[in-house]
């Protein structure tokens, strides 16, 4: 069995942000805090330009820097190997925010602790999918055993892209079916 | 608030470690030396630093949870070492006030505290250079921390122990000049090096720094002026006017290093999606 993680089909994503909203709703997040986010990038120069979206959240890395650095053990591996966060142990030192190369942990200003995607472990324990997975109109997101996901969606999946930090840093449990333009090293983030 | 508390924490602890280091050296060179004021101020700075680090937390009441992960977390280790360092110096200060005749115990505590403090500064450097902030991921982070500790510690020790430390005046002045020279020789070329980096996070850090370039200018002016003044006063015999110059040098070095540290934290840009 491989690690558990998200699969994202970039080729099908239309950037509608339904996953982002579903996550925000499920986790009851305040303004300015997102556990899943969509970013849009452009490559090339008009009239030969292309664009792509990425939907990202915690990658539940195999060698998570947030887990290693956390001084209290609040950030830890759950029984299924996903990265979980114990709010009772969190002292709000924000070292995980400095450590995560994907800028995933977020400060929850009203609680003075941090929060992040827990891969909807409550829903998964009840046999359901994470909220973002079920919300996606285009069925771009899936969560599960990465070996199984690779078998199902093909061997061409990647976890390294020019817009992402090197996977060597934390070994992210992430599979992406990329658009060709997302492999180009020069890109610009589009504000939408 | 975040950058201010971290600045107060690291400057106070490093200044305290620096003072303790020079008390330890002075005690080894002059067994009769007391250095009471320096010990008390080092303890005070240690306490202020610890309090600043606690109030930096979102949940200060749970601060002791940070001691749980010594085996895996650099931050936990650093907090252990800071706590032990401050405890040793405070204990030495308390013995000074309550049982000053126990000179041997005080010297022992100070020497151990100096060693613990030096390791602690290394851990502080490691915390930041291991974070996902490319601007901090250079040896300049360690150099800046150690040289700040040495320059601030030496001048504060001299000011707080003017009579007793008179025999070390020249050594202290040369040490301050060398520490500042090393800091400049490493930090400035490092900034130039970073400016040609293709990392977007580093470029973003440099944009932040250039928007605060006046503060950067004052940082180096104050540090340089403080070091020059320290060397200048070392050639003359003690007098009230010399004492004022030592105080001025201490203020300049302290303010310069504090501005520099604030800029260090302000330049924090973590990598992320589209920012490598
Ligand atoms: S903010 Fe909380 S989860 Fe993050 S490193 Fe600190 S204690 Fe751990």
């Amino acid at each position: 069995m491989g690690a558990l993680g998200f699969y994202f089909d970039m080729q099908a994503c239309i950037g509608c942000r339904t996953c982002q909203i579903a996550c925000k709703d499920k986790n009851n997040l305040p303004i300015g805090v997102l556990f899943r986010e969509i970013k849009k990038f452009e490559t090339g120069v008009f009239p030969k330009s292309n664009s792509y979206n990425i939907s990202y959240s915690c990658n539940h890395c195999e060698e998570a820097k947030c887990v290693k650095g956390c001084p209290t053990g609040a950030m830890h591996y759950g029984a299924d190997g996903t990265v979980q966060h114990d709010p009772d142990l969190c002292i709000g030192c924000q070292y995980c925010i400095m450590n995560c190369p994907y800028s995933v942990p977020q400060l929850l200003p009203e609680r003075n602790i941090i929060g992040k995607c827990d891969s909807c472990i409550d829903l998964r324990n009840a046999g359901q999918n994470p909220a973002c997975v079920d919300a996606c109109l285009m069925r771009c997101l899936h969560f599960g055993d990465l070996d199984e996901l690779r078998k199902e969606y093909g061997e061409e999946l990647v976890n390294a892209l020019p817009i992402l930090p090197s996977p060597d840093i934390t070994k992210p449990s992430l599979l992406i079916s990329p658009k060709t333009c997302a492999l180009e090293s020069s890109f610009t983030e589009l504000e939408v | 608030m975040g950058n201010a508390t971290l600045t107060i924490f690291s400057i106070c602890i490093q200044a305290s470690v620096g003072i303790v280091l020079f008390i330890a050296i002075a005690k080894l060179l002059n067994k009769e030396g007391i250095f009471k004021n320096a010990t008390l101020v080092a303890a005070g700075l240690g306490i202020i630093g610890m309090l600043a680090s606690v109030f930096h937390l979102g949940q200060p009441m749970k601060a002791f949870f940070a001691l749980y992960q010594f085996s895996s977390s650099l931050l936990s280790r650093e907090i252990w070492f800071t706590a032990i360092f401050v405890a040793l110096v405070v204990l030495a200060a308390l013995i000074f006030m309550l049982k000053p005749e126990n000179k041997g115990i005080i010297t022992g505590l100070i020497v151990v505290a100096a060693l613990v403090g030096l390791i602690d500064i290394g851990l502080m450097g490691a915390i930041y250079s291991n974070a996902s902030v490319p601007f901090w991921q250079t040896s300049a982070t360690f150099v800046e921390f150690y040289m700040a500790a040495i320059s601030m510690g030496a001048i504060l020790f001299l000011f707080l122990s003017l009579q007793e430390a008179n025999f070390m005046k020249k050594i202290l002045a040369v040490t301050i000049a060398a520490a500042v020279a090393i800091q400049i020789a490493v930090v400035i070329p490092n900034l130039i090096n970073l400016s040609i980096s293709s990392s977007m996070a580093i470029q973003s850090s440099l944009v932040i720094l250039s928007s605060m370039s006046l503060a950067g200018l004052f940082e180096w002016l104050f540090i340089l002026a403080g070091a020059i003044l320290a060397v200048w006063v070392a050639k003359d015999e003690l007098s009230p006017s010399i004492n004022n110059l030592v105080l001025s040098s201490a203020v300049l070095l302290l303010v310069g290093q504090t501005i520099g540290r604030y800029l260090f934290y302000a330049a924090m840009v973590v990598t992320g999606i589209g920012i490598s």
Side-chain angles (χ1 to χ4, degrees):
Chain A
M1 178 171 158
L4 295 178
F6 282 103
Y7 159 78
F8 171 60
D9 185 353
M10 182 184 280
Q11 311 203 40
C13 177
I14 55 173
C16 65
R17 294 177 191 260
T18 309
C19 53
Q20 183 176 306
I21 303 298
C23 172
K24 192 167 175 98
D25 187 40
K26 158 76 170 60
N27 292 294
N28 198 18
L29 299 177
I31 292 170
V33 179
L34 295 170
F35 290 175
R36 176 167 286 282
E37 191 171 354
I38 308 295
K39 283 194 175 187
K40 194 176 187 73
F41 293 90
E42 186 179 53
T43 58
V45 180
F46 180 83
K48 288 190 177 169
S49 60
N50 286 298
S51 70
Y52 58 95
N53 307 302
I54 184 162
S55 168
Y56 70 96
S57 67
C58 176
N59 295 316
H60 299 280
C61 304
E62 279 180 55
E63 293 176 10
K65 283 184 78 174
C66 60
V67 173
K68 193 158 186 263
C70 178
T72 68
M75 205 65 95
H76 63 281
Y77 286 108
D80 63 356
T82 54
V83 175
Q84 299 295 328
H85 176 254
D86 181 346
D88 294 332
L89 273 178
C90 182
I91 55 174
C93 66
Q94 302 184 43
Y95 192 43
C96 50
I97 292 179
M98 294 181 197
N99 259 333
C100 174
Y102 300 92
S103 283
V104 159
Q106 310 259 306
L107 182 68
L108 303 176
E110 282 157 22
R111 299 174 65 192
N112 283 327
I113 58 172
I114 73 98
K116 70 163 200 73
C117 157
D118 64 358
S119 65
C120 289
I121 192 146
D122 52 342
L123 294 179
R124 291 197 294 110
N125 285 342
Q128 298 173 36
N129 284 320
C132 55
V133 171
D134 276 353
C136 177
L137 310 178
M138 305 300 289
R139 294 286 165 261
C140 300
L141 288 166
H142 294 277
F143 185 87
D145 181 321
L146 294 185
D147 290 346
E148 299 292 322
L149 288 168
R150 203 175 272 114
K151 266 188 219 153
E152 196 171 341
Y153 296 103
E155 293 298 321
E156 302 304 306
L157 308 179
V158 298
N159 64 0
L161 288 175
I163 56 165
L164 297 178
S166 165
D168 298 339
I169 304 171
T170 58
K171 304 212 175 354
S173 302
L174 170 71
L175 290 173
I176 298 173
S177 175
K179 284 175 85 169
T180 313
C181 60
L183 304 174
E184 289 176 29
S185 58
S186 173
F187 56 83
T188 313
E189 186 179 343
L190 296 175
E191 301 292 339
V192 273
Chain B
M1 185 69 182
N3 289 344
T5 45
L6 285 175
T7 303
I8 294 169
F9 159 69
S10 64
I11 286 290
C12 285
I13 296 294
Q14 286 168 20
S16 179
V17 170
I19 295 172
V20 170
L21 175 68
F22 288 103
I23 300 174
I25 294 170
K27 276 182 182 286
L28 295 176
L29 294 175
N30 170 19
K31 299 243 174 337
E32 296 309 307
I34 308 269
F35 312 112
K36 184 176 177 183
N37 289 344
T39 309
L40 296 183
V41 170
L45 285 170
I47 292 170
I48 295 170
M50 279 292 279
L51 287 176
S53 78
V54 168
F55 286 108
H56 161 72
L57 301 176
Q59 302 284 333
M61 301 303 282
K62 296 197 268 180
F64 67 92
F65 288 1
L67 300 171
Y68 288 178
Q69 298 294 319
F70 183 87
S71 61
S72 58
S73 164
L74 274 174
L75 180 57
S76 191
R77 277 176 221 161
E78 187 267 343
I79 292 164
W80 268 103
F81 274 81
T82 303
I84 295 170
F85 167 76
V86 174
L88 289 169
V89 183
V90 168
L91 195 60
L94 283 176
I95 297 175
F96 242 133
M97 290 193 290
L98 303 174
K99 294 210 182 297
E101 63 278 10
N102 290 330
K103 279 189 185 170
I105 297 176
I106 295 170
T107 303
L109 287 170
I110 289 291
V111 171
V112 177
L115 294 174
V116 171
L118 287 173
I119 298 171
D120 189 28
I121 294 178
L123 286 168
M124 282 186 197
I127 288 172
Y128 296 114
S129 59
N130 278 287
S132 295
V133 178
F135 182 71
W136 292 343
Q137 291 169 347
T138 71
S139 52
T141 297
F142 289 92
V143 171
E144 196 161 343
F145 285 9
Y146 274 112
M147 295 310 130
I150 290 172
S151 58
M152 291 188 298
I155 195 68
L156 285 171
F157 171 71
L158 182 61
F159 174 67
L160 294 163
S161 322
L162 269 176
Q163 301 289 342
E164 287 177 293
N166 196 30
F167 75 101
M168 283 176 72
K169 206 169 54 177
K170 290 205 164 67
I171 302 172
L172 289 168
V174 170
T175 308
I176 292 166
V180 168
I182 293 170
Q183 192 174 353
I184 292 172
V186 172
V187 174
I188 302 287
N190 180 57
L191 279 174
I192 294 166
N193 233 351
L194 291 179
S195 69
I196 53 169
S197 159
S198 58
S199 158
M200 278 167 78
I202 288 178
Q203 292 307 326
S204 304
S205 293
L206 294 176
V207 168
I208 295 171
L209 285 184
S210 64
S211 72
M212 302 169 95
S213 52
L214 199 60
L217 183 69
F218 278 118
E219 170 198 354
W220 294 112
L221 277 180
F222 284 9
I223 290 175
L224 265 176
I228 291 169
L229 210 50
V231 173
W232 176 260
V233 295
K235 66 178 179 38
D236 293 320
E237 285 312 308
L238 287 177
S239 69
S241 63
I242 290 294
N243 297 0
N244 285 339
L245 287 180
V246 176
L247 174 62
S248 308
S249 166
V251 170
L252 285 167
L253 278 167
L254 228 90
V255 173
Q257 296 288 7
T258 305
I259 296 173
R261 192 57 49 80
Y262 186 86
L263 295 176
F264 173 87
Y265 288 116
M268 179 180 97
V269 176
V270 185
T271 61
I273 310 299
I275 308 170
S276 54

